[in-house]
Amino acid sequence: MKKVLIVGAGLGGLAAGVLLQTKGFDVTIVEKNEHVGGKMMPVQLGEYSFDFGPNTITMPEVFQWLFEQAGERPEDYMPLVKLTHHTNNFFTDGSQFSMSIDERKMIQQLERLDPFAAEQYPAYLKEVKRIYDIAKSQFFYRTFSSWKDYTNPSLLKALLQVRPFETVDTFHQRFFRNENIRNAFNRYATYIGSSPYTSPATFSLIGHLEMNDGVYYVKGGNPRIAKGLGHVFQKAGGKLYTNCSVTEIIVKNKRAVGVEVNGEEKIDADIVIVNGDLLKAYPALVKEQDRPHFKNKKAAEFEPSISAYVIMAAVKKRFSQLIHHQVYFSQDYKQEFYELFQQKTLPTDPTIYICNSSYTDNTVAPGDNLFILVNAPAVKEENQEEMKAYREVVYRKLSQFGLDIEPSLVHERIVTPYEIEQTFGAFKGALYGVSSNRKMDSFLRPSNVSKDVKNLYFVGGTTHPGGGSPMVTISGINVAMLISSS
Ligand SMILES: Cc1cc2nc3c(=O)[nH]c(=O)nc-3n(C[C@H](O)[C@H](O)[C@H](O)COP(=O)(O)OP(=O)(O)OC[C@H]3O[C@@H](n4cnc5c(N)ncnc54)[C@H](O)[C@@H]3O)c2cc1C
């Protein structure tokens, strides 16, 4: 029985672990944190539960499929609630726009706010579905391990059909004339940690997931997905060690032969899979001389996706104006991305996202559990005073929109990009691995297979097919399939 060692129990690592264990491999997962799920992390503040990380679940079939492969019923681990009318958007001119999978309701709103878009909306839904279908059939379920994979003619043909040469923003200009409405759709670029003004229109496919397929919530909290995968992995015989750090991947004769844990104990393995962010974990765990194709300089050249400034606010009341998801937009969305990616500063006028899962599920908190997220630059160092002070910027802006949170606060926890880097080993605190602002990085992400070290593989947001909870899970599935078929 081949021994597989997985570094990290994020969704990518768990997916690879569950699949390989059920296919007869002897799998061990070593995770440095106490919880499984990596960025999908449960947080408890008194009686209030929060979902740190993925608040918006799309493509639930990816997780469901994994549970089924392990012979389990997905609904026992992740009971889903589909949110039909899922997101309210608020703009500085006082206008509002609600996102719903009910096409008729969308057109009714657009007739008032953007008559051109009302006419175009059915074509928009059709086009994003077309792009999604091509991406799903040609890109998602592939591992890219050699140049042959990239130069495959059917892949190149498909690539040309998914609008790689226009940006998310220019694509949306075809359908939405009202800038506020367009920005509500442009925000999807942040789901891959990138800017709508530079990332390829291919990623407008996220619109298909949210506006055709729907947004989901797991009753009891989204981290139940990761907890459930950890449970079925162990039930299938997999070994899971938490609170343990892998400190080195042992390479002999250009082959991964095991790992060192906590600087002392060694575990032998035939295959090693790294789920920790490749850009941080590969240089940290494999000596530079053993990876000539991935020197430290190369790792440093990648642009990280955006990070986040998060406030988890437990409040005593339930705000009547809040639904499950809402977004309070900045006045100048373009400027915000200039500040994030060029100036690498926190936005002076941020767009603020709030998830209030207690709206759908009142068992998770006695009042509202507000997960407040502002896009932040991914940087190595940060000024603690500036971070503390930014809290006021966020609360002040929300009160301008009529949401006065501070007087009702019961508990509060702030998480900054630096903490995200430290807690999850995320390169510069990036949420989604490498950004997709540059076309090369969108379509040619670091490979799932090490070029230099035999039997060393990578899963997670920095590799193919990309960031976001369903994509990293697919990366784990892809690598497990590759290993089990070779
Ligand atoms: C604030 C926030 C909001 C988000 N919102 C959404 C959303 O709404 N929808 C969505 O789909 N996605 C969202 N994401 C992104 C999503 O969470 C990630 O893309 C995904 O969870 C990353 O999974 P991963 O497999 O890449 O691993 P990660 O979650 O990065 O996990 C990697 C694991 O490896 C461990 N590790 C690293 N190095 C070592 C080592 N040396 N030894 C042992 N263990 C190690 C880490 O501790 C970590 O647990 C969000 C992320 C954040 C942070």
Side-chain angles (χ1 to χ4, degrees), residues 7-13 30-33 35 37-40 52-58 244-247 275-277 281 285 308 310 371 373 420 423-425 431-432 459-462 467-470 472:
V7 185
L11 288 170
V30 178
E31 165 56 51
K32 79 180 178 70
N33 288 319
H35 74 281
K39 296 180 187 108
M40 178 179 259
F52 185 85
N55 281 279
T56 303
I57 297 296
T58 52
C244 287
S245 281
V246 169
T247 36
N275 177 213
D277 193 329
L285 301 180
V310 174
F371 173 88
L373 179 144
I420 292 172
T423 309
F424 309 111
L431 306 190
Y432 302 92
V459 297
T462 289
S469 55
V472 300

Side-chain angles (χ1 to χ4, degrees), residues 116-137:
F116 172 78
E119 270 176 34
Q120 294 299 315
Y121 195 67
Y124 163 77
L125 290 181
K126 218 168 141 197
E127 178 60 4
V128 287
K129 180 176 186 314
R130 185 192 68 80
I131 296 175
Y132 172 81
D133 287 343
I134 296 174
K136 185 178 171 195
S137 67

Side-chain angles (χ1 to χ4, degrees), residues 3 6 29 33 55 89 111 159 195 247 258 279-280 290 302 342 378 421-422 430 447 462 478:
K3 282 188 181 170
I6 302 180
I29 303 182
N33 288 319
N55 281 279
N89 298 289
E111 274 165 354
L159 182 65
S195 161
T247 36
L279 298 179
K280 209 165 138 83
D290 288 329
F302 284 96
Q342 267 70 46
E421 186 198 30
Q422 294 292 307
S447 171
T462 289
N478 289 346

Side-chain angles (χ1 to χ4, degrees), residues 420-457:
I420 292 172
E421 186 198 30
Q422 294 292 307
T423 309
F424 309 111
F427 181 64
K428 298 187 181 176
L431 306 190
Y432 302 92
V434 178
S435 92
S436 294
N437 287 336
R438 299 186 292 219
K439 283 191 186 61
M440 284 293 279
D441 293 347
S442 310
F443 300 109
L444 299 176
R445 301 174 83 79
S447 171
N448 299 99
V449 184
S450 168
K451 279 199 179 77
D452 298 309
V453 183
K454 207 162 164 19
N455 294 340
L456 178 61
Y457 297 84

